[in-house]
Amino acid sequence: MMALLVFKERMRVWYGKYAAYIDTAVRFFLCFAALMAINKNVGFMTRINGAVPALVLALICAFVPYGLAAVLVGVFMLAHVSVVSLEIAVLLAVVMLLIMLLYYGFQPGDSWLLLATPLAFFLNVPYVVPLVVGLSCSLVSVIPVCSGVLIYYILLYVRQNAGILTGGAAVDITEKYSNILGGVVSNETMLFMALAFAVGILVVYMVKNLSIDYAWYIAVAAGTVAQAAIVFVGVFMFNVSFSVVSFLVGMAVSAAAAAAYTFFVFAVDYTRTEYLQYEDDDYYYYVKAVPKIAVSAPDVKVQKINARKNSKKHVRPSER
């Protein structure tokens, strides 16, 4: 435990020195991973399907705010989708525009969730997103998370129905949009996953604000159970094909990642909890103060000592 705390302190000091470079690198890797996931799953436009275009665009995204980076990744995604179905590309563009109008006007700081949520689905660890968001963000962050769920299932719909969508049959544009909206909106899995994410964020956010010991860890456990319960209820209610092993592995990895995040971000010492009481003209105040764990990283200095043997000079008899 002490070794982990020392490592955490070293990482904190290191981040304080190189925060700008680290943030840029994180933004680059997040955008690059999202772009490569799009290429792998809906990479229908051959001119931009590959590591080089994704690398170039990720380098651009690394030096712009997350809001603009999300827009650039969205345009990249629309280019791929438009090859299969221009109608779905227009639908996705409308969804992205609504997200920007309804959300980014007053809280653009969580734009990274639009990238992280679909990426977590592609990596089979989607349940970590509500846990981390509930611990670190506000309840308003439900909007980009659920929007990320919607985007993921639209991409999944495009991938699963690419052959039908590219068919040459002449279909009325109204009927085509009706079929697409029916296929996306009536997706029961998307609906109960969005509900599970929203409830998970709410549960974690409420529990972590309770004045109890180990509130953050309890919040992670409660959020995990809440998500699992809603997913199981949705699976049995809508009779959705479901891989129990994949779900349990993804949930376990997500809970472990959230617990590790809690340790490195919210580590406190409950053995030194203090209860304070004071008053002013109008109120009495009862405060519970829990100190953070502070460990000084050992500063090890190695000093080299060159020991030389004092050798006696040989004195010749003539010099005595």
Side-chain angles (χ1 to χ4, degrees):
M1 178 67 72
M2 183 58 64
L4 289 176
L5 292 173
V6 171
F7 175 74
K8 170 193 170 184
E9 182 63 21
R10 286 177 174 172
M11 293 297 294
R12 187 189 66 82
V13 174
W14 186 64
Y15 178 79
K17 291 181 179 179
Y18 308 104
Y21 303 102
I22 295 174
D23 291 342
T24 301
V26 169
R27 192 179 297 113
F28 166 77
F29 284 113
L30 177 60
C31 294
F32 182 71
L35 292 169
M36 290 303 295
I38 292 172
N39 279 339
K40 181 179 179 182
N41 291 275
V42 289
F44 299 107
M45 182 175 284
T46 56
R47 286 179 294 180
I48 60 174
N49 185 16
V52 175
L55 183 63
V56 173
L57 186 56
L59 285 173
I60 298 173
C61 294
F63 297 96
V64 299
Y66 272 114
L68 183 55
V71 172
L72 293 176
V73 175
V75 172
F76 183 84
M77 177 181 63
L78 291 176
H80 278 301
V81 174
S82 64
V83 175
V84 178
S85 172
L86 185 60
E87 292 80 10
I88 292 186
V90 172
L91 179 63
L92 267 175
V94 172
V95 170
M96 293 172 58
L97 182 61
L98 289 175
I99 293 171
M100 288 188 290
L101 292 177
L102 295 176
Y103 179 73
Y104 292 109
F106 57 93
Q107 188 152 339
D110 293 340
S111 306
W112 61 275
L113 292 173
L114 274 177
L115 304 174
T117 303
L119 179 61
F121 271 100
F122 288 128
L123 297 176
N124 197 31
V125 286
Y127 311 102
V128 71
V129 175
L131 301 179
V132 173
V133 170
L135 290 171
S136 301
C137 303
S138 65
L139 291 179
V140 185
S141 301
V142 170
I143 297 175
V145 171
C146 291
S147 300
V149 174
L150 175 62
I151 291 172
Y152 168 75
Y153 280 99
I154 291 177
L155 295 178
L156 190 63
Y157 176 81
V158 173
R159 185 178 68 181
Q160 293 175 345
N161 299 275
I164 299 174
L165 294 172
T166 55
V171 181
D172 182 69
I173 188 67
T174 305
E175 183 180 352
K176 184 173 288 189
Y177 271 113
S178 178
N179 293 334
I180 293 172
L181 288 174
V184 174
V185 177
S186 63
N187 188 338
E188 295 90 353
T189 306
M190 182 191 72
L191 295 178
F192 69 71
M193 286 298 293
L195 177 61
F197 277 34
V199 172
I201 293 173
L202 177 62
V203 170
V204 174
Y205 183 82
M206 292 178 62
V207 174
K208 67 118 176 184
N209 287 322
L210 297 177
S211 180
I212 57 176
D213 290 354
Y214 304 100
W216 290 292
Y217 291 103
I218 297 174
V220 170
T224 303
V225 172
Q227 291 185 86
I230 293 177
V231 170
F232 276 118
V233 169
V235 166
F236 287 109
M237 181 179 296
F238 297 107
N239 195 21
V240 177
S241 59
F242 183 67
S243 174
V244 177
V245 175
S246 177
F247 168 75
L248 292 178
V249 170
M251 187 65 76
V253 173
S254 300
Y261 174 81
T262 302
F263 174 79
F264 283 100
V265 178
F266 303 107
V268 294
D269 187 1
Y270 288 102
T271 62
R272 297 192 293 124
T273 301
E274 298 181 4
Y275 296 89
L276 308 176
Q277 177 183 347
Y278 56 94
E279 62 178 290
D280 59 14
D281 293 337
D282 299 316
Y283 295 96
Y284 286 95
Y285 300 91
Y286 299 89
V287 180
K288 178 182 178 181
V290 184
K292 295 180 180 180
I293 297 178
V295 178
S296 299
D299 186 11
V300 180
K301 294 182 179 180
V302 179
Q303 182 177 0
K304 295 182 179 180
I305 301 175
N306 295 324
R308 294 181 179 180
K309 295 182 179 180
N310 295 326
S311 57
K312 295 182 180 180
K313 294 182 178 180
H314 179 69
V315 181
R316 290 181 293 179
S318 60
E319 296 177 350
R320 293 180 181 176

